[in-house]
């Protein structure tokens, strides 16, 4: 099956900045994929190249097999992009904006789908309001709707939840999950890693224009299969038996490494035996944020990059 | 084709929503020119036998309005969309270069011709105009507005800021229109300036347009139309080349 997105050997330089330094990436059809990386890693640049907004210096990018330069019309028809920047045309209402956007994609009489988008993104009440009068979060929802007017099989969302309230964030993800279940491929960038962790089956991490990790979310998490018990002690010192497992000794919160949940009881017993009083405690599972921090600091086990 | 129609309609709705400044204001400006110049010069300047100065002036002012507003429409629409960033919506769409160019130029032509028609309609009851060759009038109005629409596309792509566009307007468009024989016949100029005028494409647009009204002109209208068509071909090629290479729009 043709890849939804296929990028090979893509480089891009802006003056002195090497925004992309040779990126190879394939996203399969039907995937829910996360593109992660710190500010300036090159995520938006990569998305812009896929969308035809920026030209790569070298390498090729394809959407469902269509080259984004030589086959730009097909590539763009198959792609819906939610840009990171909050942009809008102040001349028009929400509905006008969506109707014009449909027209640009060669679709007329798109009202039924536009209404469905408005409903799913909780915008019906603002349908006839001028874009200028919308709040930031509402403008972002319109951006999402605009990216979907032509029902693209491949959807890329560049930080769609920045500045969006909790309720809408959940609504937006529910909608994206539905679209994904219906067969749409979804790629997102976000700095809320728990979003990526709960939604995406595969993750690519970019750092300084290179892919430094590319794996299924599960396997990435498994690389750091460590469990911690975080305890805040009100009195007493950590017993000798646990000292070797402590990660942060002397700090207010002590983190003790576990090899499995069954060790919890033993650790608590050891603490009690040493006369420690526990003020609070929590069991910490590895999360994507932790993995991300480790990989970005270069401390992680080498990823398949 | 639907893509072209949508973008063209967007261009129309855009200026029509602010018709007060995009249509009414330029009509008023043209009428002020007419009032002042005809008051000062009527009876003193005789260009063609049997044609009063005000009669001579009206077609020139109409064409000047057509040209300036056609340019203003495509150039300001593009620069606004670039500066605010919403050009991205058009750039993300599968519009061909030709559709993109065609829609902006067609939108500019409509705005130019609407303003020109407005100036004409308001002056008609007061100035005895003739319409010797209406088809030439139409042909030059269409061609002139298309040229300036295309020039607006080029300038809109090139400019990064509003003041660069304003500079282009003040140092290129306005001088070329003013020095094109809107207010005088180039035959009244010294030989050097007469010759210089023949290198100004705006001169042919105005001269040909005026021929449509009075059947008289400084240059044969067929020649003028040839020059005008050539100018359009050059600008259209340039615009399409810029769009194709993604100059400034898709870095
Ligand atoms: N148009 C441009 N001109 C100059 N430099 C640019 C341009 N676009 C991006 N860059 C640079 O390229 C690098 C990558 O930027 P990019 O926007 O792709 O990062 P990002 O991963 O999307 O970051 P963020 O998480 O902040 O959105 C940065 O160093 C940025 O400054
Ligand atoms: Mg970005």
């Amino acid at each position: 099956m043709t890849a939804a997105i296929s990028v090979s050997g893509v480089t891009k330089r802006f003056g002195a900045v090497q925004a992309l330094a040779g990126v190879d990436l394939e996203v399969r059809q039907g995937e829910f994929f996360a593109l992660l990386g710190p500010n300036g890693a090159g995520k938006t640049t990569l998305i812009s190249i896929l969308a035809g907004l920026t030209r790569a210096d070298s390498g090729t990018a394809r959407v469902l097999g269509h080259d984004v330069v030589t086959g730009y019309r097909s590539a763009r028809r198959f792609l819906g992009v939610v840009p990171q920047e909050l942009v809008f045309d102040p001349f028009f209402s929400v509905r006008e904006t969506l109707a014009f956007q449909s027209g640009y994609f060669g679709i007329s009489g798109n009202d039924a789908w536009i209404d469905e988008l408005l409903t799913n993104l909780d915008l019906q009440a603002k349908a006839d309001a001028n874009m200028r009068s919308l709040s930031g979060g509402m403008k972002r929802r319109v951006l999402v709707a605009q990216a979907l007017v032509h029902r693209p099989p491949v959807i890329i969302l560049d930080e769609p939840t920045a500045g969006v309230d909790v309720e809408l964030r959940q609504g937006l993800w529910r909608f994206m999950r539905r679209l994904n279940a219906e067969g749409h491929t979804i790629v997102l960038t976000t700095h809320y890693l728990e979003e990526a962790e709960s939604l995406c089956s595969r993750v690519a991490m970019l750092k300084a224009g290179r892919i430094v990790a590319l794996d299924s979310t599960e396997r990435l998490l498994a690389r750091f299969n460590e469990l911690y018990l975080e305890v805040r002690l009100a009195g007493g010192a950590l017993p000798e038996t646990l000292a070797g497992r402590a990660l942060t000794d002397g700090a207010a919160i002590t983190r003790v490494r576990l090899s499995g949940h069954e060790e919890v009881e033993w650790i608590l017993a050891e603490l009690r035996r040493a006369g420690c009083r526990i003020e609070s405690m929590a069991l910490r599972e590895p999360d994507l944020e932790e993995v991300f921090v480790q990989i970005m600091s270069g401390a992680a086990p080498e990823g398949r990059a | 084709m639907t893509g072209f129609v949508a973008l063209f309609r967007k261009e129309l709705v855009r200026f029509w929503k602010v018709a007060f400044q995009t249509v009414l204001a330029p009509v008023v400006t043209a009428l002020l020119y007419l009032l002042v110049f005809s008051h000062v010069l009527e009876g003193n300047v005789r260009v063609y036998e049997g044609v009063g100065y005000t009669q001579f002036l009206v077609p020139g002012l109409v064409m000047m309005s057509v040209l300036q507003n056609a340019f203003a429409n495509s150039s300001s629409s593009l620069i606004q969309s670039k500066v605010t960033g919403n050009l991205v919506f058009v750039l993300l769409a599968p519009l061909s270069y030709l559709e993109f160019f065609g829609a902006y130029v067609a939108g500019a032509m409509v705005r130019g011709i609407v303003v020109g028609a407005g100036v004409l309609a308001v002056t008609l009851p007061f100035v005895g105009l003739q319409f010797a060759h209406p088809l030439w009038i139409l042909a030059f109005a269409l061609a002139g507005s298309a040229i300036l629409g295309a020039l607006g596309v080029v300038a809109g792509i090139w400019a990064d800021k509003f003041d660069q566009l304003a500079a282009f307007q003040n140092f290129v468009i306005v001088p070329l229109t003013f020095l094109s024989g809107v207010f005088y016949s180039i035959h009244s100029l010294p030989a050097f300036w007469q010759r210089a005028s023949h290198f100004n494409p705006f001169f042919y647009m105005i001269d040909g347009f005026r021929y449509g009204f009075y059947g008289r002109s400084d240059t044969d209208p067929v020649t003028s139309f040839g020059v005008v068509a050539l100018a359009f071909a050059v600008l259209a090629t340039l615009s399409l080349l810029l769009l194709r290479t993604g100059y400034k729009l898709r870095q």
Side-chain angles (χ1 to χ4, degrees), chain A residues 16-257:
Chain A
V17 179
Q18 188 74 46
L20 294 175
V23 170
D24 297 285
L25 180 66
E26 202 149 285
V27 178
R28 293 184 286 271
Q29 285 184 50
E31 276 197 286
F32 210 130
F33 190 94
L35 185 60
L36 305 179
N39 291 141
K43 305 179 295 293
T44 300
T45 306
L46 185 60
I47 293 170
S48 300
I49 287 172
L50 282 163
L53 299 174
T54 300
R55 301 242 162 118
D57 296 337
S58 63
T60 57
R62 291 170 192 279
V63 177
L64 284 171
H66 299 276
D67 188 283
V68 299
V69 178
T70 57
Y72 73 96
R73 298 195 76 170
S74 308
R76 284 183 212 161
R77 210 167 267 127
F78 289 137
L79 184 67
V81 174
V82 181
Q84 177 176 3
E85 299 288 335
L86 207 54
V87 291
F88 61 96
D89 195 325
F91 281 92
F92 304 115
S93 72
V94 173
R95 193 178 285 282
E96 285 172 319
T97 299
L98 296 177
F100 281 128
Q101 197 65 25
S102 306
Y104 300 161
F105 280 87
I107 305 162
S108 48
N110 202 20
D111 292 340
W113 176 239
I114 288 176
D115 278 319
E116 198 175 334
L117 287 171
L118 292 174
T119 307
N120 276 292
L121 293 161
D122 201 13
L123 282 167
Q124 314 93 315
K126 295 285 176 185
D128 298 309
N130 183 283
M131 287 300 301
R132 247 188 315 230
S133 69
L134 267 54
S135 75
M138 291 173 191
K139 289 194 186 104
R140 191 163 299 279
R141 296 183 221 174
V142 178
L143 279 184
V144 175
Q146 268 179 284
L148 299 177
V149 286
H150 57 300
R151 301 172 188 256
V154 182
I155 301 164
I156 304 184
L157 305 110
D158 199 351
E159 293 188 36
T161 48
V164 167
D165 67 42
V166 182
E167 199 176 335
L168 185 91
R169 212 147 68 206
Q170 289 172 349
L172 176 65
W173 293 136
R174 213 175 308 124
F175 189 32
M176 289 303 138
R177 276 208 175 98
R178 195 189 102 195
L179 291 174
N180 182 240
E182 289 169 3
H184 295 260
T185 307
I186 296 176
V187 175
L188 65 92
T189 78
T190 177
H191 292 290
Y192 304 113
L193 298 186
E194 66 278 21
E195 279 183 349
E197 183 177 337
S198 69
L199 289 162
C200 300
S201 50
R202 229 153 55 93
V203 172
M205 292 190 190
L206 267 179
K207 183 185 175 184
R210 281 177 211 283
I211 293 191
V212 290
L214 173 63
D215 213 335
S216 71
T217 315
E218 218 168 278
R219 272 200 296 270
L220 275 175
L221 291 172
R223 273 198 224 164
F224 303 83
N225 56 354
E226 289 176 32
L227 214 54
Y228 306 99
L229 190 68
E230 281 185 1
V231 287
R232 182 189 285 275
L233 299 177
L238 206 64
E240 279 294 303
T241 44
L242 297 179
R245 296 163 168 260
L247 291 164
T248 44
D249 204 8
I253 292 182
T254 311
R255 301 171 102 194
V256 182
R257 193 187 296 127

Side-chain angles (χ1 to χ4, degrees), chain B residues 11-182:
Chain B
E11 281 299 282
L12 296 187
V13 175
R14 193 195 76 92
F15 85 76
W16 196 247
K17 281 201 174 184
V18 284
F20 195 80
Q21 39 164 321
T22 56
V23 178
L24 199 62
V27 169
V28 170
T29 308
L31 292 178
L32 285 175
Y33 275 125
L34 187 70
L35 218 63
V36 171
F37 279 84
S38 64
H39 172 74
V40 175
L41 295 175
E42 181 68 60
N44 297 328
V45 178
R46 169 100 339 183
V47 185
Y48 299 128
E49 261 316 303
V51 179
Y53 179 73
T54 311
Q55 288 171 304
F56 171 86
L57 183 58
V58 168
L61 278 176
V62 168
M63 193 56 165
M64 188 173 91
S65 307
V66 170
L67 302 178
Q68 291 189 346
N69 284 281
F71 177 82
N73 205 66
S74 51
S75 62
S76 65
S77 174
L78 273 167
I79 191 87
Q80 269 177 16
S81 289
K82 270 169 63 173
V83 170
T84 58
N86 64 49
L87 193 65
V88 69
F89 302 131
V90 177
L91 297 177
L92 284 171
L95 293 159
S96 70
Y97 312 119
L98 206 59
E99 283 179 305
F100 184 104
F101 171 74
Y104 277 98
V105 171
M109 289 170 72
V110 173
R111 156 106 172 259
I113 289 172
V114 165
V115 173
V119 176
L120 197 60
V122 178
T123 47
L124 212 49
F126 309 106
V127 185
L129 295 174
Q130 298 162 27
F131 295 91
H133 307 286
L135 283 180
W136 274 128
I137 296 178
L138 192 65
F140 277 97
L142 289 172
S145 58
I147 290 178
L148 272 288
L151 193 58
V153 170
V154 173
I157 292 173
W158 164 78
D160 299 312
K161 291 179 273 176
F162 286 102
D163 33 333
Q164 285 176 320
L165 198 61
F168 194 90
Q169 199 145 15
N170 292 331
F171 293 107
V172 181
I173 306 293
V174 171
L176 284 179
T177 36
F178 269 60
L179 301 176
S180 63
V182 171

